[in-house]
């Protein structure tokens, strides 16, 4: 009789212990009877279970991720204000970042941007020269007066 009580008490203790472990891991399952009948084995199995991440926690994780990304976006805005630089790959980098994650250095990017600007300026320049030549031709054939030509020339050359 005494032995039965001891076994019962042991089973109940193991049942509660197993249940406590499984609840602690985030499971909603009832493991009391597993603990009650299998004792230490159920306890070990429960302890070996991976941590169950509930959907609420997962949502919280997503919200945190979202918040982090928002924070990054805000940082982008601040960075540009604080002398950050934008790589031609679209990545925004802080002023202290020398090399973009795409591998281009700030100097590279500025070179490329400068070259592009120069090319555009050159294109504009040759365009202006072409126009000037046309005006000169108009002057030569008498379609433009000297004054008109000079005015056009000043306009084109930003004099
Ligand atoms: Zn880049």
């Amino acid at each position: 009789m005494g032995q039965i009580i001891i076994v019962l008490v042991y089973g109940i203790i193991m049942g509660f212990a197993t249940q406590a472990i499984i609840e602690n891991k985030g499971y909603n399952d009832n493991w009391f009877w597993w603990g009650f009948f299998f004792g230490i084995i159920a306890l070990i199995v429960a302890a070996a279970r991976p941590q169950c991440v509930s959907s609420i926690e997962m949502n919280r994780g997503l919200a945190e991720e979202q918040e982090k990304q928002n924070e990054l976006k805000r940082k982008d805005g601040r960075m540009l204000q604080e002398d950050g630089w934008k790589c031609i790959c679209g990545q925004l980098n802080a002023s202290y970042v020398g090399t973009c994650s795409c591998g281009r250095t700030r100097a590279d990017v500025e070179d490329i941007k400068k070259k592009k600007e120069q090319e555009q300026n050159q294109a504009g320049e040759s365009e202006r020269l072409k126009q000037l030549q046309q005006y000169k031709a108009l002057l030569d054939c008498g379609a433009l007066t000297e004054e008109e030509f000079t005015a056009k020339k000043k306009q084109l050359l930003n004099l």
Side-chain angles (χ1 to χ4, degrees), residues 33-89:
W33 293 109
W34 285 99
F36 184 85
F37 286 113
F38 296 102
I40 195 80
I41 294 166
L43 205 71
I44 290 166
V45 171
R49 279 243 141 166
Q51 187 76 35
C52 172
V53 180
S54 72
S55 59
I56 292 168
E57 275 174 282
M58 235 147 62
N59 282 342
R60 203 193 301 148
L62 281 178
E64 273 170 18
E65 192 57 36
Q66 187 74 37
E67 184 53 38
K68 251 183 234 165
Q69 282 183 357
N70 285 344
E71 176 63 26
L72 274 180
K73 262 183 214 159
R74 281 198 291 276
K75 234 194 216 161
D76 276 358
R78 277 204 302 274
M79 259 186 223
L80 277 187
Q81 281 167 3
E82 293 166 5
D83 192 34
W85 55 286
K86 190 168 190 175
C87 178
I88 47 176
C89 73

Side-chain angles (χ1 to χ4, degrees), residues 23-152:
E23 275 177 11
N24 215 15
K25 289 205 176 252
Y27 291 91
N28 285 323
D29 308 335
N30 184 355
W31 276 55
F32 176 83
W33 293 109
W34 285 99
F36 184 85
F37 286 113
F38 296 102
I40 195 80
I41 294 166
L43 205 71
I44 290 166
V45 171
R49 279 243 141 166
Q51 187 76 35
C52 172
V53 180
S54 72
S55 59
I56 292 168
E57 275 174 282
M58 235 147 62
N59 282 342
R60 203 193 301 148
L62 281 178
E64 273 170 18
E65 192 57 36
Q66 187 74 37
E67 184 53 38
K68 251 183 234 165
Q69 282 183 357
N70 285 344
E71 176 63 26
L72 274 180
K73 262 183 214 159
R74 281 198 291 276
K75 234 194 216 161
D76 276 358
R78 277 204 302 274
M79 259 186 223
L80 277 187
Q81 281 167 3
E82 293 166 5
D83 192 34
W85 55 286
K86 190 168 190 175
C87 178
I88 47 176
C89 73
Q91 168 88 24
L92 288 165
N93 297 300
S95 56
Y96 59 81
V97 176
T99 306
C100 178
S101 55
C102 72
R104 296 181 181 94
T105 67
R106 184 172 192 171
D108 282 347
V109 169
E110 270 164 15
D111 265 2
I112 290 166
K113 279 184 183 167
K114 224 177 266 169
K115 251 180 218 158
K116 223 181 226 177
E117 221 168 86
Q118 273 175 359
E119 268 167 29
Q120 275 169 358
N121 281 346
Q122 273 168 7
E125 190 130 314
S126 67
E127 191 59 37
R128 283 199 295 273
L129 281 177
K130 222 182 269 172
Q131 263 185 305
L132 194 61
Q133 278 169 351
Q134 281 169 356
Y135 285 135
K136 182 72 170 65
L138 288 174
L139 172 74
D140 286 345
C141 70
L144 279 180
T145 66
E146 190 73 43
E147 267 169 36
E148 281 169 337
F149 174 74
T150 308
K152 290 285 178 197

